[in-house]
Amino acid sequence: MLNFLHIESEIEFIYSRSSGPGGQNVNKVETQVTLKFDIYNSKLINNDTKERLKKIAYNKINSDGILLISANKHRSQIKNKHEAIKKLI
């Protein structure tokens, strides 16, 4: 199972402008978050978990074995960051 105490060392966040509601800041503030997690090179999960994750999230994994999770539900970048981590969990 994934050790979430050290997850920050193996994930990367990319921020971009979010579509949808946002009031005055829509298309100005980068609130959308994309979480990148390198499944193949992760030291936090064992091989069985890697294989299971590949089967569960096959449509969210690119050809390099990077799991991409996007979150843009909230108007806040930090809330979307937490949402992306929640989705990973």
Side-chain angles (χ1 to χ4, degrees):
M1 193 64 189
L2 192 54
N3 182 345
F4 290 102
L5 295 175
H6 303 288
I7 190 70
E8 293 267 350
S9 67
E10 291 198 3
I11 58 176
E12 179 184 343
F13 294 100
I14 298 171
Y15 304 102
S16 58
R17 292 184 183 136
S18 179
S19 62
Q24 292 178 332
N25 287 329
V26 71
N27 295 327
K28 293 180 186 174
V29 180
E30 295 183 335
T31 58
Q32 178 171 316
V33 174
T34 301
L35 178 149
K36 294 174 65 175
F37 178 66
D38 186 348
I39 296 171
Y40 298 134
N41 293 313
S42 175
K43 294 178 181 157
L44 298 177
I45 57 177
N46 62 35
N47 288 336
D48 291 337
T49 304
K50 288 178 186 182
E51 290 303 316
R52 185 168 176 252
L53 185 56
K54 284 186 238 177
K55 288 178 185 175
I56 292 170
Y58 69 92
N59 61 337
K60 296 183 185 314
I61 300 171
N62 68 18
S63 61
D64 295 325
I66 307 295
L67 175 64
L68 300 169
I69 299 174
S70 293
N72 62 357
K73 180 178 176 181
H74 305 283
R75 293 181 183 181
S76 161
Q77 188 181 83
I78 192 72
K79 287 182 181 179
N80 284 328
K81 185 176 177 182
H82 291 294
E83 183 71 23
I85 293 170
K86 185 176 162 183
K87 287 180 179 183
L88 176 63
I89 293 169

